[in-house]
Amino acid sequence: MAQITTEMKQWLADNRDTYAFYLLHAMFHDPLMRSAMLSVPVTVEDFEKEEHALVMGALAGAVKIMHVIGRQVPCPPTYEFLRTYLEVTAKTESADDEIIALAVKLIKELQEPAFCEQHYVIRPYFEAWYGSIRAKKAALMLRRDVIPDVPVQIGAMQRALSAAALAVAGEGEDAMQMFAGDQTLERALRRPTGIAGLDACLNGGWGPNECYLLFGGTGAGKSIAAGQCAWQEANANSGWPLIVTTELLPREYASRTVSNAAGVPINIIQDCENVAQIRQAVVGNPGSAYRIKKVDEVLAKFLERTRIQKVSPDEGMNLQTLLERECMIYASKMGHDPTWVCLDWLGSVADVTPGRNNGTSERAMLWEYAANSGVKFADSSGIPTLLLAQGVNDAQLKRVLTISDIGISKGLGKNMVAVIGVTNSIDRAGITAAERGKADMPRSMFLEDQFFCMCKARKGEGQNIPVRREFRFQRFTSPPV
């Protein structure tokens, strides 16, 4: 390490903020310098400004998590990548909104590559600073600490491991013993889905530790079904639903929920950006103004219990890790663990695995790996989990799903409790007949009557469930008899 000089001390005193900025910039853009600095280590306490400390904490947290899952933090990490880690650090450090806003601005400034040439300017100051100041701190801490007796600690660990091994081999209960000997009479209640006919096929609804796959073509209504199930969970089930999405924004799910639950036509509120605009649009429309009280009730319940978490598919996490992280964020924001989780949609996570090509067979393996990761999440957390997936072979154009569609989806969801396919939403037959001059053009190009096809059902009867999709109110209902 270089020795700090009088000139260096003066430069550090005069340029503290500049030095801190370039130190962070080096860790953002140069993975080797990042590794060297974090191994010293640089900590949040080394920064005088709170926004610098927040960004440092977020970066350190990201590096730790990525190391555990075998991934690398991108160079430079974007705000979208660091967003969650910044929220966790801000909560830990009790940072206010103003400091968080400054940290967000700083992260965006740190993206600028033009400052990379300054890394070599700060290196000697960095080495001198840590060679003098941090070395003294480390020496003082070692002097205070009691030197551990390593052989004694190793012996204690070995005895604990031996005792654990004996317990497992001896009296520890396995799954068969628990099934035969458990005398608990209270059964876990299943949670109704809110979609007519689907509960019967799931033996009453969603169950604990269970994972489900819902697939269909573009526009088939997967997200509508997810929003309808989330409202059922929050309202009728008194639960705490979480939707993790890479597609829709929270306002879009909120608008659909208001349309579905309060009976407000979606065209009135679909472009609203916030709660105030939704209320303004409802009150300002003569046909819906009388529903404002119901709208307020729905919005209050939605905001109290539901969280729509928009994530980027480029965050570099496998599905289980992603959902576990989002559940922790949910608990910190809502004060309660989620009772039902939905991912919208599976392909956005599976398709971004680095170092892979887009071959059909390899892509199928990635999707299956991501789906199995969702199964592991449901099993370990106990939370019913619904995964939405894109249909294959233009399934949105098919009135009835083919063996090929069903076979691929069952392969993807082979470890799941149920695989549900949504049939087409485009009136292809009517359009074709009109083009050939054999019929008038359909009033709507979209079909109202669809089917939920139970391609695989482990907890109930597999069958085709007829449903009617009410486009105006963004929901599925039972078709008229």
Side-chain angles (χ1 to χ4, degrees):
M1 286 269 180
Q3 296 298 315
I4 192 163
T5 64
T6 304
E7 291 77 16
M8 286 181 172
K9 287 182 180 179
Q10 187 61 46
W11 188 92
L12 286 171
D14 296 340
N15 301 276
R16 183 64 173 165
D17 293 343
T18 303
Y19 173 77
F21 178 87
Y22 286 138
L23 194 66
L24 287 171
H25 194 273
M27 286 190 279
F28 263 56
H29 289 262
D30 189 331
L32 294 178
M33 290 187 72
R34 179 193 301 164
S35 177
M37 292 174 184
L38 290 179
S39 63
V40 173
V42 178
T43 64
V44 294
E45 290 78 18
D46 294 322
F47 296 87
E48 291 183 349
K49 283 193 171 182
E50 291 185 57
E51 60 267 28
H52 288 154
L54 274 186
V55 174
M56 179 63 223
L59 179 61
V63 170
K64 289 178 182 177
I65 295 295
M66 291 295 102
H67 177 73
V68 170
I69 66 175
R71 302 284 180 87
Q72 295 292 326
V73 173
C75 287
T78 62
Y79 166 67
E80 288 73 22
F81 179 87
L82 288 177
R83 174 177 52 82
T84 300
Y85 304 101
L86 185 68
E87 290 179 359
V88 173
T89 305
K91 184 178 179 182
T92 304
E93 300 297 327
S94 300
D96 56 34
D97 292 340
E98 182 180 356
I99 298 301
I100 295 173
L102 289 173
V104 171
K105 181 181 178 182
L106 177 60
I107 290 175
K108 293 178 179 178
E109 291 174 351
L110 289 167
Q111 307 300 312
E112 176 56 55
F115 298 117
C116 289
E117 60 184 14
Q118 298 295 332
H119 297 175
Y120 301 99
V121 176
I122 69 162
R123 183 185 288 273
Y125 294 91
F126 169 76
E127 293 179 349
W129 179 33
Y130 274 83
S132 57
I133 306 300
R134 294 304 292 246
K136 292 177 182 177
K137 288 183 180 179
L140 288 173
M141 291 178 64
L142 284 174
R143 197 176 300 169
R144 294 193 203 103
D145 293 342
V146 178
I147 298 176
D149 190 336
V150 177
V152 170
Q153 289 189 359
I154 292 176
M157 290 173 61
Q158 289 176 335
R159 287 191 295 273
L161 289 172
S162 298
L166 288 173
V168 171
E171 298 179 356
E173 287 188 323
D174 60 18
M176 283 297 295
Q177 289 173 328
M178 292 176 66
F179 170 73
D182 192 352
Q183 299 298 313
T184 303
L185 295 179
E186 183 179 352
R187 296 173 60 183
L189 297 178
R190 303 185 76 79
R191 314 182 74 84
T193 65
I195 297 178
L198 190 55
D199 289 339
C201 291
L202 296 178
N203 200 28
W206 317 115
N209 303 94
E210 295 179 357
C211 189
Y212 311 84
L213 178 70
L214 177 66
F215 77 97
T218 302
K222 301 182 294 297
S223 296
I224 290 177
Q228 188 172 345
C229 292
W231 172 247
Q232 169 75 17
E233 181 66 17
N235 187 43
N237 296 350
S238 298
W240 301 84
L242 165 64
I243 296 180
V244 180
T245 175
T246 61
E247 297 288 301
L248 300 182
L249 295 170
R251 65 174 178 81
E252 295 175 281
Y253 269 107
S255 298
R256 292 181 178 192
T257 300
V258 170
S259 179
N260 162 32
V264 176
I266 188 63
N267 63 294
I268 296 175
I269 57 176
Q270 64 183 355
D271 294 326
C272 295
E273 299 284 344
N274 52 46
V275 170
Q277 290 183 14
I278 289 177
R279 296 191 78 258
Q280 182 186 51
V282 172
V283 172
N285 188 288
S288 63
Y290 71 97
R291 294 187 176 273
I292 187 61
K293 183 177 180 181
K294 181 64 175 178
V295 169
D296 286 339
E297 293 175 358
V298 171
L299 283 171
K301 178 73 74 173
F302 177 84
L303 295 173
E304 175 193 359
R305 291 180 173 268
T306 306
R307 182 167 176 82
I308 312 300
Q309 187 69 25
K310 183 77 163 61
V311 299
S312 168
D314 300 319
E315 294 195 15
M317 292 187 177
N318 66 39
L319 180 55
Q320 182 178 3
T321 304
L322 176 67
L323 294 180
E324 288 173 348
R325 185 194 70 177
E326 297 307 320
C327 284
M328 287 190 289
I329 296 174
Y330 184 100
S332 68
K333 298 282 188 182
M334 310 294 283
H336 197 286
D337 291 327
T339 57
W340 179 85
V341 172
C342 174
L343 174 73
D344 182 5
W345 59 287
L346 180 66
S348 59
V349 177
D351 288 345
V352 297
T353 302
R356 304 280 188 169
N357 59 38
N358 292 321
T360 303
S361 60
E362 190 166 40
R363 188 166 183 263
M365 286 192 297
L366 292 175
W367 276 51
E368 185 173 332
Y369 172 79
N372 286 334
S373 191
V375 173
K376 291 178 182 178
F377 165 78
D379 184 60
S380 62
S381 67
I383 304 173
T385 304
L386 174 66
L387 306 181
L388 308 187
Q390 188 75 10
V392 295
N393 299 334
D394 293 326
Q396 67 268 30
L397 300 180
K398 298 179 180 179
R399 181 62 176 156
V400 179
L401 296 180
T402 66
I403 295 298
S404 174
D405 299 319
I406 294 172
I408 293 174
S409 66
K410 289 185 71 173
L412 185 63
K414 61 185 178 184
N415 293 318
M416 298 187 186
V417 169
V419 176
I420 309 160
V422 186
T423 59
N424 73 312
S425 59
I426 299 177
D427 191 357
R428 188 182 185 185
I431 296 170
T432 302
E435 289 175 343
R436 294 176 178 175
K438 296 182 179 180
D440 294 329
M441 184 62 71
R443 181 175 58 86
S444 171
M445 289 173 51
F446 297 96
L447 295 167
E448 291 183 335
D449 294 327
Q450 295 176 244
F451 288 97
F452 278 15
C453 303
M454 299 295 296
C455 304
K456 170 188 174 182
R458 190 186 296 169
K459 290 293 180 73
E461 181 181 358
Q463 58 179 323
N464 288 342
I465 307 164
V467 292
R468 168 155 289 189
R469 179 167 160 192
E470 296 184 1
F471 291 91
R472 194 179 183 206
F473 299 111
Q474 297 290 288
R475 62 194 176 197
F476 287 101
T477 60
S478 297
V481 179

